[in-house]
Amino acid sequence: MSRPSATAFTLDVTEVERRLLARWPETRIAPSLERIRAVTDLLGRPQRDYRAIHITGTNGKTSTARMVESILLELGSTVGRFTSPHLTDIRERISIGGRPISPEAFVQAYQDVLPAAETVDRGSPTPLSFFEMTVAMAYQAFSSAGIDVAAVEVGMGGMWDATNVIDAPVAALLPVGLDHVDHLGPTRLDIAAEKAGIIKPGALAVTARQTPEVEQLLRAHADAHLARLMVEGRDFGLSGRRVAGEGQTVSVDGLAGHYQEVPLALHGRHQAHNAVLAIASVEALLEEMIPLDALRRALGSVRSPGRLEVLPGTPAVILDAAHNPDGARALAAALADLGPRPTVAVVAAMGDKDLAGMLVELEPVVTTIVCTRNGSPRSLPPDAVASAARKVLGADRVVEVDDLADALTEATEAASAAAGGQVLVTGSVVTVGEARRLLGL
Protein backbone atom coordinates (compact mmCIF):
# COMPACT_ATOMS: atom_id res chain seq x y z
CA MET A 1 0.00 0.00 0.00
CA SER A 2 1.50 3.35 -1.02
CA ARG A 3 2.05 6.06 1.56
CA PRO A 4 -0.18 9.15 1.14
CA SER A 5 1.71 12.21 -0.01
CA ALA A 6 2.29 14.99 2.50
CA THR A 7 -0.09 17.22 0.58
CA ALA A 8 -2.93 14.70 0.87
CA PHE A 9 -3.64 15.95 4.36
CA THR A 10 -5.27 19.22 5.31
CA LEU A 11 -2.53 21.55 6.45
CA ASP A 12 -2.56 24.71 8.53
CA VAL A 13 0.23 27.03 9.63
CA THR A 14 0.80 25.13 12.87
CA GLU A 15 1.25 21.81 11.06
CA VAL A 16 3.52 23.35 8.43
CA GLU A 17 5.66 24.91 11.16
CA ARG A 18 5.85 21.56 12.97
CA ARG A 19 7.07 19.88 9.79
CA LEU A 20 9.61 22.62 9.11
CA LEU A 21 10.96 22.40 12.66
CA ALA A 22 11.41 18.64 12.24
CA ARG A 23 14.13 19.44 9.68
CA TRP A 24 17.64 20.58 10.52
CA PRO A 25 17.42 23.66 12.77
CA GLU A 26 18.72 27.08 11.79
CA THR A 27 21.68 26.61 14.11
CA ARG A 28 22.94 23.56 12.18
CA ILE A 29 24.83 24.85 9.16
CA ALA A 30 26.03 22.94 6.09
CA PRO A 31 27.93 25.47 3.94
CA SER A 32 26.58 24.70 0.50
CA LEU A 33 24.12 26.22 -1.97
CA GLU A 34 23.71 22.91 -3.77
CA ARG A 35 20.45 21.86 -2.11
CA ILE A 36 18.68 25.23 -2.21
CA ARG A 37 19.80 25.78 -5.79
CA ALA A 38 18.49 22.37 -6.78
CA VAL A 39 15.11 23.15 -5.22
CA THR A 40 14.77 26.57 -6.82
CA ASP A 41 15.84 25.11 -10.18
CA LEU A 42 13.05 22.54 -9.91
CA LEU A 43 10.64 25.37 -9.07
CA GLY A 44 11.66 27.28 -12.19
CA ARG A 45 13.96 29.74 -10.39
CA PRO A 46 11.24 31.94 -8.89
CA GLN A 47 13.88 34.29 -7.43
CA ARG A 48 14.53 35.58 -10.96
CA ASP A 49 11.01 36.95 -11.31
CA TYR A 50 11.73 40.20 -9.43
CA ARG A 51 14.53 42.55 -8.52
CA ALA A 52 16.02 42.45 -5.05
CA ILE A 53 18.05 44.28 -2.46
CA HIS A 54 20.12 41.73 -0.54
CA ILE A 55 21.10 42.79 2.99
CA THR A 56 23.87 41.44 5.23
CA GLY A 57 25.89 42.60 8.23
CA THR A 58 26.19 41.71 11.89
CA ASN A 59 23.40 43.87 13.36
CA GLY A 60 20.52 45.91 11.95
CA LYS A 61 19.54 43.72 8.99
CA THR A 62 15.88 43.34 9.91
CA SER A 63 15.36 47.03 10.65
CA THR A 64 17.10 48.01 7.41
CA ALA A 65 14.99 45.52 5.42
CA ARG A 66 11.85 46.98 6.98
CA MET A 67 12.93 50.51 6.03
CA VAL A 68 13.69 49.44 2.46
CA GLU A 69 10.27 47.80 2.31
CA SER A 70 8.52 50.88 3.71
CA ILE A 71 10.17 53.23 1.20
CA LEU A 72 9.41 51.02 -1.79
CA LEU A 73 5.81 50.51 -0.69
CA GLU A 74 5.36 54.27 -0.40
CA LEU A 75 6.64 54.57 -3.97
CA GLY A 76 3.94 52.22 -5.20
CA SER A 77 5.96 49.03 -5.63
CA THR A 78 4.66 45.60 -4.71
CA VAL A 79 7.24 44.44 -2.18
CA GLY A 80 8.21 41.13 -0.60
CA ARG A 81 10.40 41.02 2.49
CA PHE A 82 12.25 38.02 3.89
CA THR A 83 13.71 38.36 7.39
CA SER A 84 14.77 35.99 10.16
CA PRO A 85 14.39 34.88 12.84
CA HIS A 86 10.79 35.67 13.73
CA LEU A 87 9.66 37.05 17.07
CA THR A 88 6.28 35.42 17.67
CA ASP A 89 4.83 34.06 14.40
CA ILE A 90 6.69 32.16 11.71
CA ARG A 91 4.75 34.08 9.05
CA GLU A 92 6.66 37.24 10.03
CA ARG A 93 9.58 35.89 7.99
CA ILE A 94 7.71 36.32 4.72
CA SER A 95 6.01 39.68 4.18
CA ILE A 96 4.06 40.64 1.07
CA GLY A 97 2.74 44.16 0.62
CA GLY A 98 3.93 45.20 4.07
CA ARG A 99 2.04 42.48 5.93
CA PRO A 100 2.97 38.97 7.04
CA ILE A 101 2.04 36.39 4.45
CA SER A 102 -1.52 35.13 4.93
CA PRO A 103 -2.00 31.70 6.50
CA GLU A 104 -3.42 30.40 3.23
CA ALA A 105 -0.51 31.70 1.15
CA PHE A 106 2.00 30.34 3.70
CA VAL A 107 0.53 26.86 3.47
CA GLN A 108 0.34 27.13 -0.32
CA ALA A 109 4.01 28.11 -0.51
CA TYR A 110 4.91 25.03 1.51
CA GLN A 111 2.81 22.81 -0.73
CA ASP A 112 4.37 24.37 -3.83
CA VAL A 113 7.91 23.77 -2.57
CA LEU A 114 7.43 20.35 -0.95
CA PRO A 115 7.56 18.12 -4.08
CA ALA A 116 10.83 19.73 -5.18
CA ALA A 117 12.21 19.50 -1.64
CA GLU A 118 11.32 15.82 -1.40
CA THR A 119 13.08 15.18 -4.71
CA VAL A 120 16.23 16.91 -3.49
CA ASP A 121 16.06 15.17 -0.11
CA ARG A 122 15.97 11.76 -1.79
CA GLY A 123 19.10 12.52 -3.79
CA SER A 124 21.14 14.15 -1.03
CA PRO A 125 22.79 12.78 2.11
CA THR A 126 21.86 16.09 3.75
CA PRO A 127 18.16 17.02 3.73
CA LEU A 128 17.03 20.58 3.29
CA SER A 129 17.13 22.50 6.54
CA PHE A 130 14.39 24.57 8.15
CA PHE A 131 16.05 27.72 6.86
CA GLU A 132 16.53 26.44 3.30
CA MET A 133 12.86 25.50 3.18
CA THR A 134 11.68 28.90 4.40
CA VAL A 135 13.92 30.66 1.86
CA ALA A 136 12.49 28.53 -0.96
CA MET A 137 8.97 29.19 0.30
CA ALA A 138 9.61 32.94 0.40
CA TYR A 139 11.02 33.08 -3.11
CA GLN A 140 8.13 30.97 -4.41
CA ALA A 141 5.52 33.05 -2.55
CA PHE A 142 7.02 36.28 -3.90
CA SER A 143 6.80 34.93 -7.44
CA SER A 144 3.23 33.75 -6.96
CA ALA A 145 2.26 37.18 -5.61
CA GLY A 146 3.84 38.95 -8.59
CA ILE A 147 5.98 41.30 -6.51
CA ASP A 148 8.20 43.95 -8.09
CA VAL A 149 11.02 43.99 -5.55
CA ALA A 150 12.22 41.81 -2.68
CA ALA A 151 14.09 43.02 0.40
CA VAL A 152 16.03 39.93 1.46
CA GLU A 153 17.88 39.61 4.75
CA VAL A 154 20.74 37.15 4.92
CA GLY A 155 20.36 34.54 7.64
CA MET A 156 24.04 34.15 8.48
CA GLY A 157 27.14 35.29 6.64
CA GLY A 158 26.36 35.61 2.97
CA MET A 159 28.37 33.48 0.57
CA TRP A 160 26.91 30.15 1.69
CA ASP A 161 23.64 31.50 3.04
CA ALA A 162 20.60 29.95 1.38
CA THR A 163 19.27 33.37 0.40
CA ASN A 164 22.31 33.81 -1.85
CA VAL A 165 20.79 31.93 -4.78
CA ILE A 166 19.22 35.29 -5.62
CA ASP A 167 21.14 37.53 -8.04
CA ALA A 168 20.39 40.90 -6.49
CA PRO A 169 21.45 44.00 -8.41
CA VAL A 170 21.94 45.79 -5.07
CA ALA A 171 23.85 44.47 -2.07
CA ALA A 172 23.69 46.31 1.26
CA LEU A 173 26.31 45.64 3.90
CA LEU A 174 25.81 46.80 7.48
CA PRO A 175 28.76 47.03 9.89
CA VAL A 176 30.71 43.80 10.24
CA GLY A 177 31.22 42.71 13.85
CA LEU A 178 32.06 39.54 15.74
CA ASP A 179 29.15 37.09 15.87
CA HIS A 180 28.64 33.47 14.80
CA VAL A 181 32.42 33.10 14.94
CA ASP A 182 32.12 29.30 15.18
CA HIS A 183 30.56 29.30 11.69
CA LEU A 184 31.98 32.39 9.98
CA GLY A 185 35.49 32.60 11.40
CA PRO A 186 37.25 34.21 14.37
CA THR A 187 38.09 37.64 12.91
CA ARG A 188 36.20 40.51 11.29
CA LEU A 189 38.08 39.83 8.05
CA ASP A 190 36.95 36.19 8.03
CA ILE A 191 33.37 37.27 8.62
CA ALA A 192 33.58 40.08 6.05
CA ALA A 193 34.83 37.62 3.43
CA GLU A 194 31.68 35.55 3.94
CA LYS A 195 29.40 38.59 3.85
CA ALA A 196 31.07 39.94 0.69
CA GLY A 197 29.75 36.88 -1.09
CA ILE A 198 26.38 38.56 -1.69
CA ILE A 199 28.02 41.12 -4.03
CA LYS A 200 27.23 39.71 -7.46
CA PRO A 201 28.93 40.43 -10.81
CA GLY A 202 27.93 43.87 -12.06
CA ALA A 203 25.99 44.72 -8.90
CA LEU A 204 26.07 47.96 -6.96
CA ALA A 205 27.04 47.45 -3.31
CA VAL A 206 26.46 50.02 -0.60
CA THR A 207 28.26 49.58 2.69
CA ALA A 208 28.08 51.15 6.10
CA ARG A 209 31.27 52.45 7.66
CA GLN A 210 33.67 49.55 8.19
CA THR A 211 37.17 49.20 9.56
CA PRO A 212 39.80 50.08 6.92
CA GLU A 213 40.75 46.40 6.56
CA VAL A 214 37.15 45.30 6.03
CA GLU A 215 36.49 48.09 3.54
CA GLN A 216 39.61 47.08 1.61
CA LEU A 217 38.41 43.47 1.49
CA LEU A 218 34.94 44.50 0.29
CA ARG A 219 36.44 46.74 -2.39
CA ALA A 220 38.71 43.97 -3.61
CA HIS A 221 35.75 41.59 -3.86
CA ALA A 222 33.67 44.18 -5.70
CA ASP A 223 36.49 44.95 -8.12
CA ALA A 224 37.04 41.25 -8.82
CA HIS A 225 33.35 40.92 -9.73
CA LEU A 226 33.16 44.13 -11.76
CA ALA A 227 30.78 45.53 -9.15
CA ARG A 228 30.69 49.06 -7.76
CA LEU A 229 31.16 49.75 -4.05
CA MET A 230 29.73 52.92 -2.47
CA VAL A 231 30.84 53.68 1.10
CA GLU A 232 29.03 55.54 3.88
CA GLY A 233 30.93 58.63 4.88
CA ARG A 234 32.44 59.02 1.44
CA ASP A 235 29.70 58.49 -1.16
CA PHE A 236 26.67 59.01 1.08
CA GLY A 237 26.04 59.60 4.76
CA LEU A 238 24.21 61.05 7.73
CA SER A 239 24.49 64.83 7.68
CA GLY A 240 22.24 65.65 10.65
CA ARG A 241 20.32 64.02 13.45
CA ARG A 242 18.26 65.07 16.44
CA VAL A 243 16.07 63.19 18.90
CA ALA A 244 12.44 64.14 18.34
CA GLY A 245 9.17 62.86 19.79
CA GLU A 246 8.63 59.16 19.22
CA GLY A 247 11.91 58.73 17.36
CA GLN A 248 14.28 61.12 15.66
CA THR A 249 14.76 63.38 12.67
CA VAL A 250 17.59 62.75 10.22
CA SER A 251 19.11 64.54 7.26
CA VAL A 252 20.87 62.39 4.71
CA ASP A 253 23.27 62.96 1.84
CA GLY A 254 22.21 60.15 -0.46
CA LEU A 255 23.74 58.76 -3.63
CA ALA A 256 21.34 60.79 -5.75
CA GLY A 257 20.45 63.82 -3.63
CA HIS A 258 20.04 65.41 -0.22
CA TYR A 259 17.12 64.63 2.10
CA GLN A 260 16.48 67.25 4.76
CA GLU A 261 14.62 66.71 8.04
CA VAL A 262 13.23 63.21 7.50
CA PRO A 263 11.27 61.85 10.48
CA LEU A 264 12.33 58.35 11.55
CA ALA A 265 9.96 56.51 13.88
CA LEU A 266 12.77 54.42 15.41
CA HIS A 267 15.09 55.23 18.28
CA GLY A 268 18.87 55.30 18.39
CA ARG A 269 21.79 56.61 16.36
CA HIS A 270 22.32 53.10 14.97
CA GLN A 271 18.82 53.23 13.44
CA ALA A 272 19.69 56.56 11.84
CA HIS A 273 22.67 54.90 10.16
CA ASN A 274 20.49 51.94 9.17
CA ALA A 275 18.14 54.44 7.54
CA VAL A 276 21.05 55.97 5.63
CA LEU A 277 21.91 52.55 4.21
CA ALA A 278 18.26 51.81 3.38
CA ILE A 279 17.98 55.11 1.48
CA ALA A 280 21.19 54.48 -0.45
CA SER A 281 20.03 50.94 -1.29
CA VAL A 282 16.74 52.15 -2.73
CA GLU A 283 18.49 54.92 -4.66
CA ALA A 284 20.88 52.32 -6.08
CA LEU A 285 17.97 50.17 -7.19
CA LEU A 286 15.97 53.06 -8.70
CA GLU A 287 19.04 54.88 -10.04
CA GLU A 288 17.41 58.16 -9.02
CA MET A 289 16.51 60.30 -6.04
CA ILE A 290 13.62 59.27 -3.80
CA PRO A 291 10.81 61.85 -3.67
CA LEU A 292 11.23 63.62 -0.34
CA ASP A 293 7.57 63.54 0.68
CA ALA A 294 7.36 59.80 0.03
CA LEU A 295 10.54 59.20 2.04
CA ARG A 296 9.22 61.24 4.95
CA ARG A 297 5.96 59.26 4.99
CA ALA A 298 7.79 55.94 4.74
CA LEU A 299 10.34 56.44 7.50
CA GLY A 300 7.97 58.44 9.66
CA SER A 301 5.72 55.40 9.97
CA VAL A 302 8.17 52.49 9.81
CA ARG A 303 8.14 49.94 12.63
CA SER A 304 10.69 47.32 13.68
CA PRO A 305 9.26 45.23 16.52
CA GLY A 306 11.74 44.04 19.10
CA ARG A 307 14.40 46.53 18.00
CA LEU A 308 14.53 49.25 20.64
CA GLU A 309 10.75 48.96 20.77
CA VAL A 310 9.37 51.23 23.48
CA LEU A 311 6.06 50.15 25.00
CA PRO A 312 4.30 53.02 26.75
CA GLY A 313 3.06 52.56 30.25
CA THR A 314 4.16 52.80 33.84
CA PRO A 315 6.80 51.60 33.94
CA ALA A 316 7.77 51.80 30.28
CA VAL A 317 9.09 48.56 28.78
CA ILE A 318 11.83 48.55 26.16
CA LEU A 319 12.35 45.44 24.03
CA ASP A 320 15.63 45.04 22.16
CA ALA A 321 16.99 41.88 20.57
CA ALA A 322 20.67 42.79 21.03
CA HIS A 323 22.62 39.51 21.24
CA ASN A 324 26.26 40.48 20.80
CA PRO A 325 28.55 43.23 22.16
CA ASP A 326 28.12 45.52 19.13
CA GLY A 327 24.34 45.31 19.48
CA ALA A 328 24.55 45.94 23.22
CA ARG A 329 26.78 48.97 22.62
CA ALA A 330 24.24 50.45 20.21
CA LEU A 331 21.46 49.70 22.71
CA ALA A 332 23.33 51.44 25.53
CA ALA A 333 23.87 54.55 23.40
CA ALA A 334 20.20 54.58 22.42
CA LEU A 335 19.10 54.35 26.07
CA ALA A 336 21.15 57.46 26.72
CA ASP A 337 19.21 59.11 23.86
CA LEU A 338 15.95 58.34 25.63
CA GLY A 339 17.22 60.04 28.77
CA PRO A 340 18.93 58.67 31.89
CA ARG A 341 16.58 56.85 34.23
CA PRO A 342 16.64 53.82 36.51
CA THR A 343 16.65 50.78 34.22
CA VAL A 344 15.98 47.22 35.34
CA ALA A 345 17.19 44.84 32.65
CA VAL A 346 15.81 41.34 32.09
CA VAL A 347 18.52 39.34 30.35
CA ALA A 348 18.37 35.84 28.85
CA ALA A 349 21.03 34.87 26.34
CA MET A 350 22.12 31.89 24.28
CA GLY A 351 25.09 29.80 25.32
CA ASP A 352 27.10 30.51 22.16
CA LYS A 353 27.03 34.31 22.59
CA ASP A 354 29.56 36.67 24.17
CA LEU A 355 27.47 37.40 27.24
CA ALA A 356 30.33 38.99 29.16
CA GLY A 357 30.96 41.41 26.30
CA MET A 358 27.28 42.36 26.22
CA LEU A 359 27.16 42.94 29.97
CA VAL A 360 30.21 45.20 29.86
CA GLU A 361 28.41 47.42 27.33
CA LEU A 362 25.17 47.49 29.34
CA GLU A 363 26.70 48.04 32.78
CA PRO A 364 26.84 51.87 32.62
CA VAL A 365 23.16 52.24 31.67
CA VAL A 366 21.37 49.64 33.81
CA THR A 367 20.62 49.78 37.50
CA THR A 368 19.85 46.11 38.10
CA ILE A 369 19.93 42.96 35.97
CA VAL A 370 17.37 40.21 36.42
CA CYS A 371 19.02 37.08 35.04
CA THR A 372 16.76 34.43 33.59
CA ARG A 373 16.33 32.00 30.70
CA ASN A 374 14.20 31.81 27.58
CA GLY A 375 12.46 28.74 26.17
CA SER A 376 15.24 27.70 23.78
CA PRO A 377 17.33 24.64 24.66
CA ARG A 378 20.32 26.83 23.72
CA SER A 379 19.51 29.33 26.47
CA LEU A 380 22.03 29.76 29.26
CA PRO A 381 20.61 28.77 32.67
CA PRO A 382 19.88 31.70 34.99
CA ASP A 383 22.74 30.84 37.36
CA ALA A 384 25.24 31.05 34.48
CA VAL A 385 23.85 34.43 33.39
CA ALA A 386 23.93 35.64 37.00
CA SER A 387 27.51 34.43 37.51
CA ALA A 388 28.66 36.39 34.46
CA ALA A 389 26.64 39.44 35.55
CA ARG A 390 28.10 39.49 39.08
CA LYS A 391 31.61 39.68 37.63
CA VAL A 392 30.66 42.83 35.72
CA LEU A 393 28.10 44.56 37.95
CA GLY A 394 28.73 43.19 41.41
CA ALA A 395 26.44 40.95 43.43
CA ASP A 396 24.22 43.74 44.76
CA ARG A 397 22.96 44.64 41.26
CA VAL A 398 22.12 41.11 40.14
CA VAL A 399 18.94 39.10 40.68
CA GLU A 400 18.44 35.50 39.53
CA VAL A 401 14.96 34.33 38.49
CA ASP A 402 14.36 30.95 36.84
CA ASP A 403 11.32 31.82 34.69
CA LEU A 404 11.01 34.65 32.15
CA ALA A 405 7.44 35.49 33.18
CA ASP A 406 8.51 35.77 36.82
CA ALA A 407 11.56 37.78 35.77
CA LEU A 408 9.31 40.29 33.98
CA THR A 409 7.16 40.60 37.11
CA GLU A 410 10.26 41.09 39.28
CA ALA A 411 11.66 43.74 36.94
CA THR A 412 8.33 45.57 36.66
CA GLU A 413 7.99 45.77 40.43
CA ALA A 414 11.56 47.00 40.84
CA ALA A 415 11.19 49.62 38.10
CA SER A 416 7.86 50.79 39.53
CA ALA A 417 9.52 51.35 42.89
CA ALA A 418 12.10 53.67 41.34
CA ALA A 419 11.07 57.17 40.27
CA GLY A 420 10.87 57.17 36.47
CA GLY A 421 12.07 53.58 36.30
CA GLN A 422 11.84 51.48 33.15
CA VAL A 423 12.22 47.81 32.18
CA LEU A 424 14.60 46.63 29.47
CA VAL A 425 14.29 43.13 27.98
CA THR A 426 17.28 42.00 25.93
CA GLY A 427 19.87 39.31 25.19
CA SER A 428 18.25 37.37 22.36
CA VAL A 429 15.60 37.53 19.66
CA VAL A 430 13.97 34.54 21.38
CA THR A 431 13.90 36.37 24.72
CA VAL A 432 12.25 39.42 23.18
CA GLY A 433 9.76 37.30 21.22
CA GLU A 434 8.69 35.41 24.33
CA ALA A 435 8.43 38.66 26.28
CA ARG A 436 6.17 40.13 23.60
CA ARG A 437 3.84 37.14 23.93
CA LEU A 438 3.83 37.38 27.72
CA LEU A 439 3.03 41.09 27.43
CA GLY A 440 0.10 40.32 25.12
CA LEU A 441 1.62 41.74 21.92
Side-chain angles (χ1 to χ4, degrees), residues 40-405:
T40 54
D41 285 352
L42 289 171
L43 293 171
R45 301 176 180 172
Q47 71 274 22
R48 295 188 176 183
D49 292 343
Y50 35 84
R51 297 183 297 166
I53 295 173
H54 203 180
I55 302 164
T56 192
T58 300
N59 295 301
K61 297 185 292 295
T62 296
S63 293
T64 303
R66 284 179 170 273
M67 285 187 250
V68 166
E69 173 191 52
S70 186
I71 295 168
L72 290 169
L73 285 170
E74 192 62 48
L75 295 176
S77 296
T78 304
V79 186
R81 171 175 49 82
F82 178 77
T83 52
S84 63
H86 59 277
L87 286 172
T88 57
D89 186 332
I90 192 171
R91 294 184 299 114
E92 296 169 28
R93 293 171 180 252
I94 305 172
S95 171
I96 297 173
R99 304 178 68 85
I101 187 171
S102 70
E104 297 77 15
F106 182 82
V107 171
Q108 186 62 56
Y110 177 77
Q111 292 176 322
D112 289 345
V113 169
L114 187 59
E118 289 177 332
T119 298
V120 173
D121 285 348
R122 285 193 295 269
S124 172
T126 304
L128 268 83
S129 67
F130 170 94
F131 187 72
E132 288 170 322
M133 282 292 291
T134 56
V135 169
M137 289 169 59
Y139 288 168
Q140 180 64 29
F142 293 162
S143 177
S144 296
I147 69 163
D148 305 314
V149 186
V152 177
E153 174 188 341
V154 164
M156 183 187 299
M159 184 182 302
W160 300 115
D161 189 76
T163 61
N164 205 30
V165 293
I166 203 163
D167 288 325
V170 177
L173 298 101
L174 289 144
V176 175
L178 294 176
D179 200 9
H180 302 298
V181 293
D182 49 340
H183 296 295
L184 303 179
T187 71
R188 275 184 168 82
L189 282 180
D190 293 322
I191 296 169
E194 290 293 322
K195 295 184 184 298
I198 72 166
I199 303 174
K200 300 300 172 57
L204 197 159
V206 294
T207 179
R209 292 178 185 269
Q210 310 284 0
T211 65
E213 296 79 10
V214 167
E215 182 184 330
Q216 184 178 7
L217 183 150
L218 296 177
R219 189 167 297 284
H221 181 96
D223 290 345
H225 290 78
L226 302 179
R228 291 179 293 161
L229 181 71
M230 311 300 280
V231 180
E232 182 185 3
R234 182 179 308 140
D235 303 299
F236 61 96
L238 182 69
S239 60
R241 171 183 178 268
R242 58 183 173 83
V243 177
E246 297 301 312
Q248 55 193 308
T249 298
V250 299
S251 296
V252 176
D253 292 321
L255 294 174
H258 179 72
Y259 305 93
Q260 185 71 25
E261 294 286 299
V262 178
L264 175 61
L266 300 172
H267 297 280
R269 179 175 289 276
H270 63 295
Q271 292 289 25
H273 285 283
N274 291 342
V276 169
L277 201 70
I279 290 168
S281 299
V282 174
E283 288 180 311
L285 185 76
L286 301 178
E287 299 183 328
E288 63 183 19
M289 188 174 178
I290 303 166
L292 182 57
D293 286 348
L295 182 64
R296 285 173 170 165
R297 289 192 297 271
L299 296 187
S301 61
V302 70
R303 296 290 180 268
S304 192
R307 278 75 182 179
L308 210 71
E309 181 181 14
V310 180
L311 308 180
T314 305
V317 177
I318 300 171
L319 305 173
D320 191 86
H323 54 274
N324 53 48
D326 286 343
R329 187 178 308 117
L331 168 58
L335 288 176
D337 256 9
L338 296 175
R341 60 181 63 191
T343 300
V344 182
V346 175
V347 176
M350 300 303 185
D352 58 345
K353 299 301 181 181
D354 181 3
L355 175 61
M358 287 189 274
L359 293 171
V360 167
E361 299 295 342
L362 292 175
E363 187 277 332
V365 295
V366 301
T367 308
T368 305
I369 288 188
V370 181
C371 303
T372 188
R373 74 172 83 227
N374 60 48
S376 169
R378 296 168 49 227
S379 181
L380 280 170
D383 60 343
V385 180
S387 176
R390 290 187 190 104
K391 293 176 183 177
V392 177
L393 290 89
D396 59 333
R397 294 169 62 191
V398 176
V399 178
E400 182 183 331
V401 177
D402 190 61
D403 178 77
L404 180 58

Side-chain angles (χ1 to χ4, degrees), residues 11-20 106-107 110 137:
L11 297 179
D12 59 15
V13 171
T14 301
E15 175 61 17
V16 170
E17 183 172 12
R18 185 191 69 78
R19 295 184 183 192
L20 291 172
F106 182 82
V107 171
Y110 177 77
M137 289 169 59

